[in-house]
């Protein structure tokens, strides 16, 4: 029982990170119908920026995160700007463009920060909580709280604000949206900025849990992407549930199958997707391809 | 399409030059002596590769400053294998065709094992920094190790932990990669030789991030000590998470657990008390290591560590063999390497038929955030 609960707790905190990554994937997909393959690499850049402002510039952790999110958001703008001429012209090229951006970001990170990586000490130094023998790290609680706040804000933005509604309209029918005066390019740019900001949030939060290195984007990107698919690609609540599910699934697979856990995680994932191809919150989402 | 064909033709022409082109330079003659360094310069294992290159470069610069060998300069060619065996095998062919007479590296056992048959065929002697027992299993007369194998590391460790400290309740956590598997098998055997079965034997993947399940299982078995067999970063994460889960017993392991990357990732306080089996505990153990560390600091403006020292020893052995044999190549050079008796930073090298030259490691513990010799 203790192993079970402890495994669950371990899975949830990383799951929350995967959920943030998944939300970035889903948001861009929802508004543009585009899978942003550079998203994992943007997470890595966000992690490096946050750790740099926190460790080298010595800003308080929260402030370092805010700066990192702003700078990473700017990278989102640049990616969208470069891809914009292709919008509605060549979808495949756009996809390949995002892959290219990922490679460029990796190379940039190695150029700026070197290939070795760095450890980020936890900003919360208090001892882990002990609840009936289950140990909960205080920093995990911070991660969960921040992730939850980000999720609520994003859902409110999409459902309650005019800008959010406009973005959804673009997703449904961009020609009709253009006709009623919605700026499609701006809507896409906002999606990319928020997506990149979420990536920076995930990267910055995960730094003290893991190790910041140029290759971290690959591992987080693939788990986040799997979370987004599992939840129902394009659905924001789906991304949250999917991300958490992948984290917990991973954690339990590690406990039961040890060295084969990665394999088991993705086999289970594949089976779930075969049974329900649209994911948990399956809705027929945009596909402008 | 035409462009693609042109690129392909170009790649092919550089990858394998015309027959008869082999060994035209580098060996006999009067040009520079060409030695290849193959190591990861990008990717997750690049820190190892960069340390390694610095160690080699320091040794070669020393020799070149003294006028080289036989009045010939030594020229290093650096190749990035990205820690990938497939890229390694391509590089093996490349260094053969480009006339390199010897190779130093890699730091990766898996890459070295992949390259070994090609290097053996091409008769290019290689001194590697890998430590997997699998390296000697290749049985190539052209392959040498600049340090001990995992078997030596873990035998020394078991001797200290079990024979000397009388600790018998031991849990293990290792990864399923090349290095972790070697450590797992070597340490399990060292324990079995002493009639001990680990109380828990957890295997994780090399890519895993959350170790709660494995560590909670270990915690319930209440071991006196946990053996960890994983690379620097993963070991650091394991130790950090173990402390968060309330595991207070010390960890023990081989070379990766003595590195600054491990210490940083785990956090100095969490790593305190870790028992490390290593042939090179610190820069302060002897006059030679102090001089090496000072030169290293001067050349690269950073602190020397085990991997640089290993590569430095390997390079010294290679250069001594070249000198002793009047810059021989192929089998003659390999025999010259085997004949070298070298007092190195890691210990006294004397190679046996398997290509291993050193059979002892020292035991250190992390005390006050630094690795010091164990009492």
């Amino acid at each position: 029982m203790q192993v079970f609960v402890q495994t669950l707790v371990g899975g949830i905190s990383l799951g929350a990170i995967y959920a943030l990554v998944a939300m970035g994937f889903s948001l861009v997909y929802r508004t543009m119908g585009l899978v942003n393959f550079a998203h994992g690499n943007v997470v890595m850049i966000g992690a490096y920026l946050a750790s740099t402002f926190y460790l080298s510039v010595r800003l308080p952790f929260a402030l370092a995160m805010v700066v990192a999110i702003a700078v990473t958001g700017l990278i989102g703008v640049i990616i969208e700007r470069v891809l914009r001429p292709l919008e509605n012209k060549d979808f495949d090229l756009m996809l390949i463009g995002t892959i290219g951006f990922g490679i460029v970001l990796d190379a940039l990170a190695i150029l700026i920060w070197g290939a070795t990586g760095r450890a980020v000490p936890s900003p919360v130094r208090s001892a882990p909580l002990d609840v009936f023998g289950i140990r909960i790290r205080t920093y995990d609680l911070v991660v969960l709280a921040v992730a939850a706040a980000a999720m609520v804000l994003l859902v409110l933005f999409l459902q309650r604000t005019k800008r959010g509604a406009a973005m959804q309209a673009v997703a449904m029918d961009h020609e009709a949206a253009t006709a009623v005066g919605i700026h499609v390019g701006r809507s896409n740019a906002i999606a990319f900025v928020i997506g990149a900001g979420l990536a920076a949030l995930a990267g910055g939060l995960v730094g003290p849990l893991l190790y910041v290195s140029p290759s971290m984007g690959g591992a987080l990107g693939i788990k986040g992407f799997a979370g987004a698919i599992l939840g129902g690609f394009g659905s924001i609540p789906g991304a949250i549930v999917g991300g958490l599910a992948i984290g917990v699934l991973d954690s339990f697979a590690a406990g039961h199958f040890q060295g084969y856990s990665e394999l088991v995680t993705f086999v289970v994932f594949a089976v779930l997707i075969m049974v329900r191809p649209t994911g948990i919150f399956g809705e027929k989402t945009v596909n402008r391809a | 399409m035409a462009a693609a064909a042109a690129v392909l033709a170009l790649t092919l022409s550089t990858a394998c030059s015309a027959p008869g082109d082999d060994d035209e330079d580098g060996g006999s003659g009067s040009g520079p002596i060409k030695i290849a360094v193959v190591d990861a310069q990008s990717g997750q294992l690049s820190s190892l590769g960069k340390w390694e290159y610095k160690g080699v470069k320091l040794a070669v610069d020393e020799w070149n400053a003294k006028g080289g060998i036989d009045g010939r300069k030594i020229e290093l060619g650096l190749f990035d294998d990205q820690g990938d065996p497939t890229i390694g095998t391509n590089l093996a062919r490349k260094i053969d065709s480009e006339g390199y007479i010897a190779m130093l590296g890699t730091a990766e056992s898996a890459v070295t094992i992949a390259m070994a048959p090609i290097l053996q065929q091409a008769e290019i002697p290689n001194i590697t920094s890998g430590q997997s027992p699998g390296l000697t299993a290749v049985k190539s007369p052209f392959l040498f190790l600049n340090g001990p194998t995992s078997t030596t590391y873990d035998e020394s460790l078991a001797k200290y932990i079990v024979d000397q400290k009388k600790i018998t309740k031991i849990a293990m956590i290792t990864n399923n990669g090349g290095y972790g598997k070697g450590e797992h098998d070597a340490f399990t055997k060292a324990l079995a030789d002493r009639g001990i079965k680990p109380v828990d034997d957890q295997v994780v993947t090399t890519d895993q991030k959350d170790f709660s399940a494995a560590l909670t299982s270990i915690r319930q078995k209440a071991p006196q000590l946990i053996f960890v067999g994983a690379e620097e970063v993963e070991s650091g994460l394991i130790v950090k998470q173990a402390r968060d889960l309330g595991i207070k017993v010390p960890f023990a392991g081989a070379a990766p657990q003595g590195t600054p990357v491990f210490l940083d990732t785990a956090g100095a306080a969490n790593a305190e008390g870790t028992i490390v089996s290593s042939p090179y505990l610190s820069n302060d153990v002897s006059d030679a290591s102090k001089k090496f560390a000072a030169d290293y600091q001067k050349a690269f403006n950073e602190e020397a560590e085990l991997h640089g020292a290993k590569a430095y020893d390997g390079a010294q052995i290679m250069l001594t063999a070249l000198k002793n044999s009047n810059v021989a190549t192929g089998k003659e050079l390999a025999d010259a390497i085997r004949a070298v008796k070298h007092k190195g930073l890691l210990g006294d090298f004397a190679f046996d038929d398997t290509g291993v030259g050193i059979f002892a490691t020292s035991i250190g513990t992390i005390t006050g955030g630094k690795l010091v010799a164990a009492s």
Side-chain angles (χ1 to χ4, degrees):
Chain A
M1 187 61 198
Q2 197 188 27
V3 177
F4 179 85
V5 180
Q6 190 70 61
T7 309
L8 189 68
V9 169
I12 284 176
S13 67
L14 271 180
I17 302 286
Y18 297 150
L20 285 175
V21 179
M23 276 158 65
F25 270 117
S26 274
L27 183 71
V28 170
Y29 184 75
R30 190 175 180 83
T31 46
M32 294 178 73
L34 175 74
V35 182
N36 175 16
F37 283 108
H39 194 61
N41 312 89
V42 180
V43 173
M44 178 267 299
I45 294 284
Y48 260 116
L49 285 170
S51 73
T52 303
F53 289 117
Y54 176 48
L55 295 176
S56 308
V57 186
R58 300 202 168 277
L59 292 181
F61 189 71
L63 196 58
M65 289 282 292
V66 173
V67 181
I69 290 169
V71 178
T72 315
L74 208 64
I75 296 172
V77 175
I78 294 169
I79 299 181
E80 196 277 329
R81 265 288 165 187
V82 174
L83 295 180
R84 193 180 283 184
L86 295 170
E87 168 84 340
N88 297 315
K89 290 203 183 75
D90 194 328
F91 194 77
D92 295 336
L93 260 186
M94 277 179 94
L95 276 183
I96 293 168
T98 64
I99 296 175
F101 259 109
I103 295 169
V104 169
L105 291 175
D106 270 4
L108 263 180
I110 293 176
L111 212 65
I112 299 172
W113 291 287
T116 320
R118 54 170 62 163
V120 182
S122 171
V124 185
R125 290 182 205 275
S126 48
L129 305 176
D130 197 325
V131 186
F132 302 114
I134 308 298
R135 306 274 292 197
I136 303 167
R137 278 176 293 193
T138 33
Y139 182 67
D140 279 358
L141 296 176
V142 174
V143 170
L144 282 175
V146 174
M151 291 163 193
V152 171
L153 281 176
L154 184 63
V155 171
L156 285 180
F157 169 75
L158 286 176
Q159 291 182 347
R160 297 284 162 83
T161 66
K162 226 171 158 182
R163 176 76 68 196
M167 281 170 69
Q168 310 237 36
V170 172
M172 282 171 207
D173 186 340
H174 81 283
E175 274 166 16
T178 315
V180 297
I182 296 171
H183 194 306
V184 174
R186 193 175 301 151
S187 161
N188 289 346
I190 292 170
F192 253 102
V193 169
I194 300 178
L198 285 169
L201 188 63
L205 282 175
V206 88
L209 289 175
L210 305 178
Y211 183 79
V212 179
S213 76
S215 56
M216 73 185 287
L220 290 172
I222 205 82
K223 293 277 162 65
F225 187 59
I229 301 278
L230 189 61
F233 209 18
S235 156
I236 299 300
I240 298 166
V241 175
L244 285 171
I246 289 286
V248 171
L249 180 61
D250 226 15
S251 198
F252 277 103
H256 290 284
F257 301 98
Q258 304 214 344
Y260 300 98
S261 60
E262 204 83 346
L263 176 71
V264 172
T265 303
F266 281 99
V267 167
V268 172
F269 168 76
V271 170
L272 288 176
I273 289 301
M274 276 197 282
V275 174
R276 199 175 159 81
T278 51
I280 301 166
F281 287 77
E283 51 180 310
K284 191 153 170 19
T285 47
V286 282
N287 188 359
R288 303 212 315 242
Chain B
M1 187 57 214
V7 169
L8 190 67
L10 201 67
T11 331
L12 286 176
S13 66
T14 50
C16 41
S17 42
D21 220 18
D22 289 11
D23 308 332
E24 46 148 15
D25 45 9
S28 55
S30 55
I33 303 163
K34 291 172 77 179
I35 300 179
V37 179
V38 179
D39 253 307
Q41 299 296 308
S42 60
Q44 198 162 11
L45 300 158
S46 56
S47 48
L48 291 176
K50 292 195 166 150
W51 285 327
E52 177 116 328
Y53 178 64
K54 285 173 186 161
V56 170
K57 186 149 187 328
L58 199 60
V60 167
D61 286 350
E62 261 174 36
W63 281 66
N64 275 337
K66 284 189 286 186
I69 298 170
D70 269 0
R72 297 169 64 185
K73 290 276 176 207
I74 302 131
E75 186 186 299
L76 284 181
L78 178 62
F79 298 88
D80 178 11
D81 64 40
Q82 299 172 30
D84 182 334
T86 313
I87 297 173
T89 50
N90 273 332
L91 289 178
R93 295 196 181 89
K94 194 173 158 73
I95 62 174
D96 177 28
S97 66
E98 290 185 6
Y100 286 90
I101 60 164
M103 173 183 145
L104 295 168
T106 73
E108 278 296 287
S109 300
V111 180
T112 303
I113 290 171
M115 294 176 78
I118 302 167
L119 294 175
Q120 182 176 356
Q121 202 178 16
E123 302 205 330
I124 296 176
N126 170 24
I127 302 183
T128 175
S129 289
Q131 65 175 63
S132 162
L135 290 164
T136 56
V138 178
K139 293 200 194 310
S140 164
F142 292 89
L143 182 60
F144 300 89
L145 277 71
N146 62 18
T149 62
S150 285
T151 313
T152 301
Y153 278 95
D154 291 343
E155 176 61 28
S156 304
L157 197 58
K159 201 181 279 173
Y160 176 78
I161 293 168
V162 182
D163 303 350
Q164 198 176 327
K165 292 284 166 187
K166 309 284 176 216
I167 293 172
T168 53
K169 267 188 96 180
I170 298 166
M172 293 173 64
I173 179 165
T174 54
N175 75 28
N176 62 352
Y179 172 75
K181 178 85 172 58
E183 285 292 301
H184 175 271
D185 296 350
F187 193 69
T188 312
K189 186 177 177 301
L191 287 184
D193 290 346
R194 290 164 174 79
I196 294 171
K197 204 173 159 300
V199 292
D200 201 355
D201 181 4
Q202 294 285 328
V203 177
V204 299
T205 69
T206 48
D207 206 29
Q208 201 163 320
K209 310 281 181 243
D210 169 47
F211 306 97
S212 343
L215 291 170
T216 309
S217 161
I218 287 177
R219 184 172 68 160
Q220 288 187 328
K221 307 276 170 37
Q224 295 165 282
L225 179 134
I226 302 167
F227 173 83
V228 56
E231 288 81 354
E232 291 82 358
V233 171
E234 190 169 45
S235 300
L237 290 177
I238 289 172
V239 170
K240 185 163 142 181
Q241 292 187 15
R243 297 292 180 246
D244 285 342
L245 288 174
I247 295 174
K248 294 193 177 63
V249 297
F251 281 81
Q257 283 71 43
T259 59
V261 173
F262 166 76
L263 262 173
D264 276 356
T265 313
N270 293 334
E272 187 74 9
T274 301
I275 300 165
V276 182
S277 172
S278 170
Y280 188 80
L281 287 180
S282 81
N283 296 327
D284 311 320
V285 284
S286 68
D287 289 341
S289 66
K290 277 180 194 155
K291 179 181 178 313
F292 165 72
D295 292 347
Y296 193 97
Q297 179 77 37
K298 201 168 145 228
F300 309 113
N301 197 23
E302 71 178 55
E303 206 176 326
E305 47 61 69
L306 165 71
H307 296 91
K310 275 177 85 171
Y312 179 84
D313 272 354
Q316 290 289 0
I317 292 167
M318 179 67 82
L319 296 171
T320 309
L322 281 166
K323 180 163 174 271
N324 293 348
S325 65
N326 295 316
V327 198
T329 56
K331 191 168 180 313
E332 217 182 310
L333 178 56
D335 290 339
I337 294 171
R338 198 166 287 113
V340 171
K341 302 276 182 283
H342 178 67
K343 257 182 120 55
L345 300 169
L346 269 64
D348 297 338
F349 284 86
F351 288 98
D352 68 359
D353 289 341
T354 64
V356 181
I358 206 159
F359 299 91
T361 63
S362 316
I363 300 295
T365 53
I366 292 177
T367 314
K370 278 194 80 140
L371 186 60
V372 296
S375 45

